[in-house]
Amino acid sequence: MAEAAKINRLNMTEKEYDGAPSTMCKGCGHDAISASVQRAYWESSIDPRKVVKLSGIGCSSKTPAYFMSQSFGFNAVHGRMSAVATGANLANHTLMPIGVSGDGDTSAIGLGNFCHMMRRNVNITYIIENNGVYGLTKGQFSATADVGSVMKGGKVNDIPAIDLAELAITLGATYIARSFSGDRKQLAPLVQGALAHKGSAILDVISPCVTFNNHEGSTKSLKYVKGHLDPIHDLDFVPPYENIEADYDEGTDHEVKMHDGSRIVLHKLGKDYDPTNKANAIQAIHASIAEGKFLTGLIFYNPNRKSFTDELGLCDMPLADLGQDMLQPPVEALERINSDLMK
Amino acid sequence: MLDTPLINDLSICVATENGSGSASSNNILFKAIFKMGIPCSSKNMFPSNIQGLPTWYQIRANADGYLSRKDVIDVMVMFNDATAAKDIYRVRDGGIILYDDSTPLSPTLKRDGVQYIGFPANKLVAKLVPASPLRAKQRNMVYVGALAYLFGIDMSVIKAVLEDTFGKKPAVIESNLVCIDAGYQYCKEQNFKQNIARLEPIPNGNKGKIITEGNTAAAIGAVYGGASVICWYPITPSSSLAESMEYYLPRLRKQVDGKKAYAIVQAEDEIASASMIVGAGWAGARSMTSTSGPGVSLMNESIGLAYYAEIPCVFFIIQRGGPSTGLPTRTQQADISLMYGASHGDTRHILLIPHDMNSCFDFARQSFNYADRFQAPVFVAMDLDLGMNLWSSEPLKLNAEQYDWGKRLSAQDLDEWTKAGKKFRRYFDQDGDGIPYRTVPGNENRLASFFTRGSGHDADAKYSEDEHDYKYILDRLKKKHDTARKFVPKPIIEKERGVKTGIICYGSSYEPVREARDRLKARGLKTNHMLIRALPLTSEVRDFIAEHDTVYLVEQNRDAQMAAIIKDEMPELGAKLTSILVYNGLPVTAGEVVQQIFEAAKTAKTA
């Protein structure tokens, strides 16, 4: 007899949090993130019908379709998701928005809107699936590409990356974490924490691109693989990579070999780290950059700042649900206005 | 000088510089004329600048109730040295130039055929006001007194206006009154005479009337229409609309517990404000923004998204001079094509086009019904002349019509649909009118959710690049637009049997055209009239043009944008249209319309 599926406090199985089948390249870090996100919602027993999923344009922005079909989704225009989510949040502050974005969407075309969303501390879980490249347009650098990284065509990036975690701390977001797509043990709880937080929760998740992060000489590079394939295969062939997994302890470093052969070093924050100290958080990021490492874990947390809709003092009932009786002032009020305008 | 003065037919132009404090003086003068019961309007022609550049304020008082800018200036208050050389030639023959003779008038500023009245405004104020930055501003009050004496405004009326305006500040009333009275008394002592015009009280002349700007009227209309998420970015000439909402919303939509039944957000840019209202409209709130041409340029992408993803939201567009930054503080109707076809791809939008204060109010209210009914962006197409100038008007009247929330399904509706064996398909034409049904986030029915996207999708909102799916949605959107054709406000038509010449106009051209028609009639040319109040064009537009031999279409743009839309949609009637175009950035005058129509008629005869 098959074992009964586990259920959460809403009597829902994790399967009920499924979305449409993914169309990402096989082995894409984004799918691993979707799995962690789905797990986090299920573990937290959040009703998918209370969640709105928003995104912009890009590979990452397609992913909200691949988890929680029972939620309303909105794949908006490039870079504007932060503002669209802000509007949706104003219309109905009882819903839980999750924004899924890429590094192009967030750190380039949408940087302004992203900054102002955090400045307002809009209540949102905002996940950046950060791979340093534009995937859908075939491999151009994004603004988070590291100095020295090489584009598919051989071009080397020499402009420093925007560190989105540091930016988020500076601009007023109140929950800032960084993680790695393959570290589900770390990522899923960080997403759960973000879901429980009221305010802008930013998760910068390093998510390897299987297709466009190619380095010359790598035996796993697309070029290498293509060189060993039948030439009639078209240029968009994606080799069947596996997801990269990472599992390591707090306070330790972990080196991860990416699909293209390059290596990154993750440093997981230890138990003694105090995420409520803004200056320390920024310093920790700077120190990790200097050492060539990616700091992972909850980097900054401020539970005291009001979210945007709380700050605005909106009424309890969602604005979207107000009827004419609540919205239309009485006719006598118009008479008073008219009488003021007669003077 | 005329033998007998014109009674209650006067145009006053005050030439000063921006930031000189003349706005208060002009306002007092205007309101005093209104209080006398004389129909009046004002045109503020100001620069895109904070301080120091030339500005003109033109008041028209007219017993017959014509409210457009008068073609000629009867009296010029020449208070700006920088423009004086031009200003003297803007006054009609026989008119008056009122100037400050505290310093002698340059001989180059003398001209024949006008009456110069000099009075020492600076010297008078120097005696009355201690040396302070306020003194320069008070200088403007002196011309209010001078004009009051010259044209017959009673000082008691001025006093009443000051009390209405500064009721809680007696010291301000007093200091202004002293300066105005000084101007009045000086002119009286000098026994200045003029014989061009007199202002005489019209008992009950403006009884029950209000004075307001279109932006204020529209803001109040939007509040009454249920706007609950308002996101905007400052831009002239639309800012005062959002600012008026910031004033009225707390007063008109109070919650007992002090919480807000609205959110008003000054966004970081136009792109953000448009994106926010799209998000809010998607989530079910009545959302809006206000902007002008450059803002629409930036908002295009979101407008296209709202059109294709079928999301209700309202754009108040207060048009100014374009292209590019253009003339930020001047008026035009040159964004009609931009609004009608905003964004890339095949798009067509709904425009509501108000022409007076009550339609600014009513269309603002109704725009949310149209947005919800058609699940689409809706434009309220105004312009600077309507939006930022003062107009005397009938009081704002509330239409009792219930809000139209369109085809919005609740969780319970979906239950009933399911029981009846009907399936909710987000982008399917269930009723054959092109308008699908929608659910909004938060609907707890398990069948309610769907995925919204600006990419190709099928009738079930699923991502699709299938050629049939794509064409189905595009064709349905066209059908929806054609359905809107039957619902948008119909044109207002005035016609007499047998008249074969028609005039069409829209928006703020209405007032000058109304006056122009009377003048044309007096000169032997009877005309019928149609005021277009919306796009898409309704069948009445076709009928009107078909019924006439010649149709003049008055527009405030260079390229005859409305004519192009008519010719595109009704090519068989295009030959009947003759465009009358005024696009100098100033509010249109009746004289400009009359002159162009006569010229066009003459050309047609000789051709």
Side-chain angles (χ1 to χ4, degrees):
Chain A
M1 194 174 147
E3 199 182 327
K6 277 168 95 179
I7 54 168
N8 65 8
R9 290 196 303 281
L10 298 175
N11 285 328
M12 292 174 80
T13 62
E14 192 170 351
K15 185 125 189 75
E16 290 177 88
Y17 287 71
D18 275 352
S22 169
T23 59
M24 296 289 108
C25 308
K26 187 161 170 43
C28 176
H30 296 0
D31 278 337
I33 296 174
S34 293
S36 286
V37 167
Q38 183 167 327
R39 168 65 56 88
Y41 275 98
W42 179 71
E43 290 265 0
S44 295
S45 293
I46 290 168
D47 185 345
R49 289 170 297 183
K50 290 281 179 198
V51 177
V52 284
K53 307 171 296 182
L54 299 113
S55 59
I57 295 292
C59 291
S60 59
S61 291
K62 286 172 172 276
T63 65
Y66 311 142
F67 58 87
M68 296 205 298
S69 292
Q70 291 186 49
S71 309
F72 276 80
F74 194 166
N75 187 186
V77 288
H78 206 186
R80 310 299 163 211
M81 180 264 282
S82 313
V84 173
T86 302
N89 187 230
L90 293 169
N92 191 338
H93 61 278
T94 66
L95 299 174
M96 299 176 68
I98 178 168
V100 183
S101 184
D103 34 314
D105 206 42
T106 296
S107 64
I109 186 169
L111 187 64
N113 293 161
F114 175 64
C115 290
H116 287 271
M117 180 198 76
M118 295 189 291
R119 189 179 147 237
R120 296 185 177 105
N121 199 27
V122 171
N123 183 28
I124 188 170
T125 297
Y126 190 108
I127 296 176
I128 304 145
E129 302 187 336
N130 191 347
N131 57 18
V133 293
Y134 287 76
L136 274 182
T137 49
K138 301 191 189 292
Q140 299 82 1
F141 287 131
S142 86
T144 65
D146 295 310
V147 170
S149 58
V150 183
M151 212 194 272
K152 190 178 171 186
K155 188 176 166 186
V156 179
N157 175 46
D158 52 9
I159 304 171
I162 292 176
D163 190 296
L164 292 168
E166 183 187 353
L167 187 74
I169 296 169
T170 309
L171 282 168
T174 42
Y175 180 107
I176 292 123
R178 179 171 283 151
S179 192
F180 182 74
S181 59
D183 189 356
R184 189 189 283 211
K185 270 192 186 165
Q186 184 192 47
L187 181 53
L190 283 175
V191 176
Q192 274 187 275
L195 297 176
H197 176 71
K198 202 159 183 210
S200 290
I202 311 299
L203 281 95
D204 181 26
V205 187
I206 298 151
S207 175
C209 172
V210 299
T211 308
F212 292 107
N213 258 353
N214 291 310
H215 284 243
E216 197 66 40
S218 167
T219 55
K220 289 279 171 63
S221 72
L222 191 57
K223 190 175 173 189
Y224 181 90
V225 174
K226 276 191 182 144
H228 292 76
L229 289 171
D230 182 337
I232 63 164
H233 282 206
D234 77 21
L235 288 170
D236 291 340
F237 174 81
V238 176
Y241 288 119
E242 290 302 316
N243 271 322
I244 301 171
E245 307 245 327
D247 180 11
Y248 62 115
D249 294 330
E250 284 179 351
T252 64
D253 285 358
H254 181 77
E255 192 179 86
V256 178
K257 193 176 175 192
M258 308 295 267
H259 294 108
D260 56 18
S262 65
R263 287 171 162 77
I264 60 167
V265 179
L266 304 173
H267 175 77
K268 199 174 277 189
L269 290 161
K271 273 186 182 147
D272 54 344
Y273 176 80
D274 173 14
T276 61
N277 185 320
K278 198 177 220 179
N280 279 354
I282 292 173
Q283 198 179 16
I285 291 173
H286 283 194
S288 71
I289 293 171
E291 292 173 30
K293 296 176 184 174
F294 291 95
L295 201 60
T296 73
L298 179 59
I299 302 172
F300 180 69
Y301 175 51
N302 173 6
N304 301 319
R305 191 182 166 203
K306 281 184 179 175
S307 73
F308 187 45
T309 48
D310 283 347
E311 191 67 53
L312 285 174
L314 300 190
C315 57
D316 297 338
M317 189 186 276
L319 298 177
D321 292 346
L322 300 179
Q324 185 169 358
D325 55 331
M326 298 281 285
L327 293 170
Q328 181 169 285
V331 69
E332 302 80 61
L334 188 62
E335 284 165 15
R336 281 198 298 279
I337 291 170
N338 275 324
S339 133
D340 285 346
L341 296 175
M342 285 171 193
K343 290 177 185 173
Chain B
M1 251 192 237
L2 300 173
D3 294 337
T4 51
L6 296 167
I7 306 300
N8 290 341
D9 183 9
L10 173 67
S11 70
I12 301 167
C13 184
V14 179
T16 53
E17 61 181 44
N18 223 19
S20 68
S22 55
S24 300
S25 312
N26 296 336
N27 204 35
I28 290 163
L29 185 62
F30 176 69
K31 287 190 171 176
I33 296 170
F34 176 78
K35 225 176 183 58
M36 289 172 75
I38 308 163
C40 52
S41 64
S42 72
K43 306 291 176 197
N44 194 4
M45 288 160 283
F46 57 104
S48 176
N49 187 267
I50 306 297
Q51 220 167 17
L53 286 183
T55 180
W56 295 270
Y57 188 81
Q58 196 167 329
I59 297 174
R60 181 176 195 186
N62 181 273
D64 295 325
Y66 295 130
L67 297 180
S68 59
R69 185 167 67 95
K70 193 173 175 181
D71 298 299
V72 294
I73 291 165
D74 297 314
V75 51
M76 172 72 74
V77 178
M78 202 170 71
F79 259 37
N80 185 0
D81 294 345
T83 60
K86 270 188 177 177
D87 288 339
I88 57 165
Y89 289 102
R90 298 179 64 211
V91 179
R92 72 165 167 86
D93 283 344
I96 296 169
I97 288 172
L98 198 68
Y99 68 102
D100 186 349
D101 68 355
S102 301
T103 50
L105 190 68
S106 155
T108 58
L109 294 178
K110 287 282 183 187
R111 133 185 185 207
D112 292 336
V114 291
Q115 183 185 355
Y116 284 84
I117 297 181
F119 69 111
N122 266 340
K123 284 183 185 163
L124 289 171
V125 168
K127 275 190 212 161
L128 300 166
V129 182
S132 73
L134 200 63
R135 186 188 276 178
K137 295 187 179 197
Q138 295 294 80
R139 172 183 181 236
N140 295 310
M141 290 295 163
V142 182
Y143 68 66
V144 175
L147 290 165
Y149 171 77
L150 286 170
F151 297 102
I153 305 172
D154 200 277
M155 280 300 285
S156 64
V157 177
I158 303 263
K159 197 170 174 216
V161 171
L162 287 168
E163 282 165 358
D164 281 347
T165 312
F166 305 109
K168 288 176 186 161
K169 298 175 184 167
V172 179
I173 296 175
E174 187 52 32
S175 64
N176 282 326
L177 200 56
V178 164
C179 296
I180 295 170
D181 195 48
Y184 189 96
Q185 295 304 334
Y186 181 85
C187 293
K188 189 176 177 186
E189 282 157 21
Q190 300 298 313
N191 199 20
F192 284 137
K193 295 248 185 289
Q194 60 83 15
N195 198 29
I196 62 163
R198 293 282 306 161
L199 296 176
E200 292 181 358
I202 304 175
N204 294 326
N206 282 325
K207 191 169 168 29
K209 292 220 171 146
I210 61 167
I211 34 179
T212 189
E213 299 167 346
N215 282 354
T216 308
I220 300 166
V223 175
Y224 271 85
S228 64
V229 176
I230 301 102
C231 305
W232 67 290
Y233 186 72
I235 183 168
T236 304
S238 75
S239 297
S240 61
L241 199 161
E243 284 162 349
S244 285
M245 295 194 77
E246 280 177 339
Y247 174 83
Y248 282 110
L249 277 165
R251 287 164 176 79
L252 291 174
R253 207 180 285 158
K254 271 183 196 160
Q255 291 273 111
V256 184
D257 58 6
K259 291 183 178 173
K260 294 176 185 164
Y262 62 90
I264 182 157
V265 175
Q266 183 184 317
E268 56 270 31
D269 54 42
E270 282 94 345
I271 294 172
S273 55
S275 304
M276 284 179 194
I277 68 163
V278 167
W282 171 72
R286 293 199 146 186
S287 66
M288 60 164 278
T289 188
S290 62
T291 191
S292 68
V296 186
S297 293
L298 287 166
M299 291 174 177
N300 259 274
E301 193 182 26
S302 286
I303 293 165
L305 172 67
Y307 174 79
Y308 193 40
E310 300 181 62
I311 294 166
C313 45
V314 177
F315 296 79
F316 286 83
I317 312 302
I318 321 302
Q319 296 167 87
R320 64 187 220 184
S324 188
T325 312
L327 301 178
T329 57
R330 304 302 164 125
T331 196
Q332 265 203 310
Q333 297 176 320
D335 301 333
I336 295 294
S337 345
L338 172 68
M339 286 184 265
Y340 196 41
S343 197
H344 51 272
D346 290 321
T347 54
R348 273 287 175 262
H349 303 293
I350 297 169
L351 270 65
L352 305 180
I353 312 173
H355 68 285
D356 65 5
M357 297 302 99
N358 256 299
S359 54
C360 286
F361 171 76
D362 191 47
F363 285 8
R365 181 178 181 273
Q366 298 293 345
S367 61
F368 298 94
N369 291 337
Y370 283 101
D372 272 334
R373 179 191 280 253
F374 293 101
Q375 297 173 31
V378 167
F379 292 82
V380 182
M382 297 165 55
D383 60 40
L384 183 142
D385 186 17
L386 268 186
M388 286 189 76
N389 284 325
L390 285 173
W391 298 74
S392 67
S393 158
E394 293 299 325
L396 304 177
K397 281 185 282 293
L398 183 62
N399 182 334
E401 191 184 308
Q402 291 296 300
Y403 284 7
D404 182 351
W405 296 97
K407 299 179 183 179
R408 177 168 161 169
L409 296 170
S410 66
Q412 198 186 343
D413 293 335
L414 279 177
D415 277 340
E416 283 162 18
W417 273 41
T418 309
K419 278 181 209 154
K422 268 164 74 177
K423 192 183 163 207
F424 165 56
R425 304 181 69 193
R426 172 64 183 103
Y427 293 118
F428 180 66
D429 189 0
Q430 186 90 31
D431 304 325
D433 57 4
I435 309 168
Y437 285 79
R438 72 169 178 144
T439 54
V440 302
N443 186 319
E444 295 193 348
N445 193 298
R446 289 173 72 90
L447 303 171
S449 67
F450 64 93
F451 209 94
T452 305
R453 47 168 67 80
S455 326
H457 46 266
D458 65 13
D460 293 306
K462 298 264 185 328
Y463 180 80
S464 171
E465 293 183 13
D466 179 273
E467 61 270 32
H468 302 291
D469 290 339
Y470 175 68
K471 193 164 176 298
Y472 171 79
I473 300 285
L474 278 200
D475 289 344
R476 186 178 54 68
L477 286 166
K478 175 80 167 55
K479 191 192 271 185
K480 183 161 85 167
H481 187 70
D482 284 333
T483 301
R485 214 177 278 284
K486 296 172 196 141
F487 285 88
V488 293
K490 293 187 186 312
I492 295 175
I493 293 171
E494 295 165 42
K495 61 180 180 186
E496 286 176 45
R497 278 173 75 102
V499 173
K500 299 310 278 180
T501 302
I503 302 183
I504 302 175
C505 76
Y506 57 93
S508 65
S509 303
Y510 175 72
E511 265 302 315
V513 166
R514 188 172 71 87
E515 183 179 352
R517 289 183 60 223
D518 289 350
R519 287 205 220 165
L520 289 168
K521 192 176 172 183
R523 291 170 67 174
L525 179 61
K526 276 190 179 180
T527 58
N528 288 338
H529 181 236
M530 176 170 66
L531 174 74
I532 291 179
R533 299 196 299 162
L535 286 173
L537 298 165
T538 64
S539 59
E540 289 80 3
V541 174
R542 181 188 301 276
D543 297 343
F544 183 87
I545 300 170
E547 285 164 8
H548 292 85
D549 296 337
T550 304
V551 178
Y552 298 102
L553 174 44
V554 180
E555 300 193 60
Q556 297 174 47
N557 58 64
R558 184 195 65 185
D559 291 345
Q561 296 184 11
M562 184 65 85
I565 292 168
I566 293 175
K567 285 173 183 171
D568 180 47
E569 297 191 4
M570 305 165 185
E572 73 282 8
L573 298 174
K576 289 193 173 189
L577 292 180
T578 300
S579 285
I580 304 297
L581 304 171
V582 181
Y583 48 93
N584 55 12
L586 299 175
V588 185
T589 68
E592 287 169 321
V593 175
V594 169
Q595 187 192 348
Q596 284 203 40
I597 286 180
F598 274 126
E599 276 171 15
K602 207 158 66 183
T603 310
K605 259 187 200 168
T606 51

